[in-house]
Amino acid sequence: MGNKTLAILKPDSVKKNYIGDIVKMILAAGFKIKGMKMIKMTPESAKLFYLVHKDRPFYNDLVEYMTSGPCVPIALEKENAVAEFRKLIGATDPAQAEEGTVRKLYAKDKAENAVHGSDSDENAAIEIAHFFSTQELV
Ligand code: CDP
Ligand code: MG
């Protein structure tokens, strides 16, 4: 199992001032922050990031949402990071997320769901490289 994953505090989390609370949960769960920045994604960047979903009905709305305001990508490190982080954030739809998870606490619905987490070690590496140069990873 790899030890890296990519989180994004999505635009709804930034707008609602949840950055501090969610970062606190991430650190309390034992993740180390290797890189962190605030950016506003361009449509090109968001389309590429979510290319795997290009044929899904929610793709255009997803790109619009992810470019609607600043977001905070965070490169994280922990043993078994991908699975551990997805456990911390809970199911895609907050209605199905377990109590105490980030999405249960902070997501509005299955679209505006507060946070992203990589789904495999391979994608974690691709997604970290999408946002961070090697210099930006400590
Ligand atoms: O983010 P996660 O890996 O849990 O879910 P996904 O299936 O990879 O979907 C990526 C993102 O698309 C979700 O986090 C939602 O923001 C959005 N989505 C949506 O708007 N409507 C859906 N039915 C499913 C996902
Ligand atoms: Mg996913």
Side-chain angles (χ1 to χ4, degrees):
M1 278 299 153
N3 65 349
K4 298 221 168 32
T5 195
L6 188 273
I8 307 175
L9 311 187
K10 294 180 174 181
D12 55 317
S13 294
V14 175
K15 276 192 193 102
K16 293 174 183 165
N17 279 336
Y18 294 153
I19 296 175
D21 292 317
I22 298 174
V23 168
K24 193 169 185 178
M25 285 181 73
I26 292 170
L27 294 174
F31 290 89
K32 282 210 163 74
I33 294 177
K34 306 297 285 181
M36 180 162 155
K37 60 172 81 168
M38 182 180 281
I39 57 154
K40 189 162 186 291
M41 288 183 90
T42 63
E44 292 69 30
S45 172
K47 281 181 195 163
L48 180 62
F49 186 80
Y50 281 116
L51 199 60
V52 62
H53 294 310
K54 69 176 166 33
D55 295 323
R56 308 286 288 277
F58 58 81
Y59 184 63
N60 287 340
D61 287 344
L62 177 58
V63 169
E64 202 168 298
Y65 158 51
M66 292 303 293
T67 57
S68 65
C71 67
V72 180
I74 311 175
L76 293 171
E77 189 173 272
K78 188 188 181 180
E79 202 175 314
N80 197 14
V82 166
E84 287 291 300
F85 191 69
R86 290 192 70 97
K87 196 165 77 187
L88 178 69
I89 66 178
T92 307
D93 184 346
Q96 259 130 55
E98 281 192 42
E99 292 299 328
T101 58
V102 174
R103 281 168 166 168
K104 187 69 173 188
L105 289 165
Y106 299 111
K108 187 179 95 183
D109 53 39
K110 69 181 172 195
E112 296 197 15
N113 60 1
V115 60
H116 169 83
S118 307
D119 65 4
S120 67
D121 292 340
E122 190 192 355
N123 284 335
I126 293 167
E127 291 177 359
I128 288 169
H130 185 95
F131 291 106
F132 297 97
S133 67
T134 46
Q135 288 190 99
E136 293 172 321
L137 296 166
V138 296

Short mmCIF file of all heavy atoms in Angstrom, two decimals, residues 5 31 37 44 47-48 56-57 60 64 70 72 76 81 83 105 109 120 130-131:
data_model
loop_
_atom_site.label_atom_id
_atom_site.label_comp_id
_atom_site.label_asym_id
_atom_site.label_seq_id
_atom_site.Cartn_x
_atom_site.Cartn_y
_atom_site.Cartn_z
N THR A 5 -1.73 10.50 -0.68
CA THR A 5 -3.03 10.75 -1.31
C THR A 5 -3.20 12.23 -1.55
O THR A 5 -2.46 13.05 -0.98
CB THR A 5 -4.20 10.18 -0.46
OG1 THR A 5 -5.38 10.14 -1.27
CG2 THR A 5 -4.46 11.01 0.78
N PHE A 31 -2.53 12.31 9.46
CA PHE A 31 -1.92 12.62 8.16
C PHE A 31 -0.89 13.73 8.32
O PHE A 31 -1.07 14.64 9.12
CB PHE A 31 -2.99 13.07 7.16
CG PHE A 31 -3.91 11.97 6.72
CD1 PHE A 31 -5.07 11.69 7.45
CD2 PHE A 31 -3.62 11.19 5.62
CE1 PHE A 31 -5.93 10.66 7.06
CE2 PHE A 31 -4.46 10.16 5.23
CZ PHE A 31 -5.62 9.90 5.95
N LYS A 37 -1.90 24.44 -0.94
CA LYS A 37 -1.99 25.76 -1.57
C LYS A 37 -3.44 26.11 -1.79
O LYS A 37 -4.31 25.23 -1.74
CB LYS A 37 -1.23 25.79 -2.90
CG LYS A 37 -1.75 24.80 -3.93
CD LYS A 37 -1.11 24.98 -5.31
CE LYS A 37 0.24 24.35 -5.43
NZ LYS A 37 0.75 24.27 -6.81
N GLU A 44 -10.04 24.18 -17.86
CA GLU A 44 -9.15 23.18 -18.49
C GLU A 44 -8.59 22.22 -17.43
O GLU A 44 -8.55 21.01 -17.63
CB GLU A 44 -7.99 23.88 -19.22
CG GLU A 44 -8.39 24.69 -20.43
CD GLU A 44 -9.20 25.95 -20.12
OE1 GLU A 44 -9.01 26.54 -19.03
OE2 GLU A 44 -10.06 26.31 -20.95
N LYS A 47 -11.45 19.99 -16.02
CA LYS A 47 -11.86 18.97 -17.01
C LYS A 47 -10.85 17.84 -17.06
O LYS A 47 -11.21 16.66 -17.12
CB LYS A 47 -11.97 19.61 -18.41
CG LYS A 47 -13.25 20.37 -18.61
CD LYS A 47 -13.29 20.93 -20.03
CE LYS A 47 -14.37 21.99 -20.15
NZ LYS A 47 -14.19 22.84 -21.33
N LEU A 48 -9.58 18.19 -17.03
CA LEU A 48 -8.53 17.18 -17.06
C LEU A 48 -8.51 16.35 -15.77
O LEU A 48 -8.41 15.13 -15.81
CB LEU A 48 -7.17 17.87 -17.28
CG LEU A 48 -5.95 16.97 -17.36
CD1 LEU A 48 -6.05 16.00 -18.54
CD2 LEU A 48 -4.67 17.80 -17.48
N ARG A 56 -20.10 11.05 -17.80
CA ARG A 56 -21.16 10.99 -16.79
C ARG A 56 -22.05 12.24 -16.92
O ARG A 56 -21.58 13.31 -17.31
CB ARG A 56 -20.56 10.94 -15.38
CG ARG A 56 -19.52 9.83 -15.20
CD ARG A 56 -20.15 8.46 -15.12
NE ARG A 56 -20.86 8.26 -13.86
CZ ARG A 56 -20.27 7.89 -12.72
NH1 ARG A 56 -18.97 7.71 -12.66
NH2 ARG A 56 -20.98 7.70 -11.64
N PRO A 57 -23.32 12.11 -16.58
CA PRO A 57 -24.25 13.24 -16.72
C PRO A 57 -23.88 14.45 -15.86
O PRO A 57 -24.26 15.57 -16.19
CB PRO A 57 -25.61 12.66 -16.30
CG PRO A 57 -25.30 11.41 -15.56
CD PRO A 57 -24.02 10.89 -16.10
N ASN A 60 -20.33 18.25 -16.56
CA ASN A 60 -20.29 19.70 -16.77
C ASN A 60 -20.57 20.47 -15.47
O ASN A 60 -19.91 21.47 -15.18
CB ASN A 60 -21.29 20.13 -17.85
CG ASN A 60 -20.80 19.73 -19.24
OD1 ASN A 60 -19.61 19.47 -19.44
ND2 ASN A 60 -21.71 19.66 -20.18
N GLU A 64 -18.08 23.03 -13.42
CA GLU A 64 -18.56 24.36 -13.02
C GLU A 64 -18.39 24.57 -11.51
O GLU A 64 -17.93 25.62 -11.06
CB GLU A 64 -20.04 24.49 -13.40
CG GLU A 64 -20.50 25.93 -13.54
CD GLU A 64 -21.87 26.00 -14.20
OE1 GLU A 64 -21.99 25.58 -15.36
OE2 GLU A 64 -22.79 26.46 -13.52
N PRO A 70 -12.16 29.54 -5.15
CA PRO A 70 -10.90 28.90 -4.78
C PRO A 70 -11.10 27.57 -4.08
O PRO A 70 -12.12 27.34 -3.42
CB PRO A 70 -10.24 29.92 -3.83
CG PRO A 70 -11.24 30.96 -3.54
CD PRO A 70 -12.37 30.83 -4.51
N VAL A 72 -8.58 24.20 -2.13
CA VAL A 72 -7.31 23.97 -1.44
C VAL A 72 -6.84 22.53 -1.64
O VAL A 72 -7.27 21.63 -0.90
CB VAL A 72 -7.42 24.30 0.07
CG1 VAL A 72 -6.10 24.05 0.79
CG2 VAL A 72 -7.88 25.74 0.30
N LEU A 76 -1.04 14.63 0.94
CA LEU A 76 -1.00 14.04 2.29
C LEU A 76 -0.18 12.76 2.33
O LEU A 76 -0.12 12.03 1.34
CB LEU A 76 -2.42 13.72 2.75
CG LEU A 76 -3.34 14.92 2.98
CD1 LEU A 76 -4.77 14.45 3.22
CD2 LEU A 76 -2.83 15.77 4.15
N ALA A 81 -2.54 5.58 2.86
CA ALA A 81 -3.17 6.91 2.81
C ALA A 81 -4.49 6.95 2.05
O ALA A 81 -5.44 7.60 2.50
CB ALA A 81 -2.19 7.91 2.20
N ALA A 83 -6.87 4.66 1.35
CA ALA A 83 -8.01 4.06 2.06
C ALA A 83 -8.29 4.80 3.36
O ALA A 83 -9.45 5.03 3.71
CB ALA A 83 -7.72 2.59 2.33
N LEU A 105 -20.26 15.74 8.12
CA LEU A 105 -20.28 16.99 8.88
C LEU A 105 -20.40 18.22 7.99
O LEU A 105 -21.06 19.19 8.38
CB LEU A 105 -18.99 17.10 9.72
CG LEU A 105 -18.87 16.15 10.90
CD1 LEU A 105 -17.44 16.09 11.40
CD2 LEU A 105 -19.80 16.60 12.03
N ASP A 109 -24.53 17.94 -0.36
CA ASP A 109 -25.16 16.83 -1.08
C ASP A 109 -24.09 16.07 -1.87
O ASP A 109 -22.91 16.36 -1.72
CB ASP A 109 -26.29 17.33 -2.00
CG ASP A 109 -25.83 18.44 -2.94
OD1 ASP A 109 -24.69 18.35 -3.45
OD2 ASP A 109 -26.59 19.39 -3.18
N SER A 120 -6.97 5.60 -5.68
CA SER A 120 -5.97 4.52 -5.81
C SER A 120 -4.59 5.15 -5.68
O SER A 120 -4.44 6.37 -5.85
CB SER A 120 -6.09 3.84 -7.18
OG SER A 120 -5.72 4.75 -8.21
N HIS A 130 -0.71 16.78 -10.57
CA HIS A 130 -1.60 17.74 -11.24
C HIS A 130 -1.49 19.12 -10.58
O HIS A 130 -1.62 20.14 -11.25
CB HIS A 130 -3.04 17.23 -11.15
CG HIS A 130 -4.06 18.05 -11.90
ND1 HIS A 130 -4.47 17.75 -13.17
CD2 HIS A 130 -4.74 19.18 -11.55
CE1 HIS A 130 -5.36 18.65 -13.57
NE2 HIS A 130 -5.54 19.53 -12.61
N PHE A 131 -1.26 19.14 -9.27
CA PHE A 131 -1.27 20.41 -8.53
C PHE A 131 0.11 20.87 -8.03
O PHE A 131 0.29 22.05 -7.76
CB PHE A 131 -2.20 20.30 -7.31
CG PHE A 131 -3.65 20.21 -7.67
CD1 PHE A 131 -4.34 19.02 -7.57
CD2 PHE A 131 -4.34 21.34 -8.12
CE1 PHE A 131 -5.69 18.94 -7.90
CE2 PHE A 131 -5.68 21.27 -8.46
CZ PHE A 131 -6.36 20.07 -8.34
#
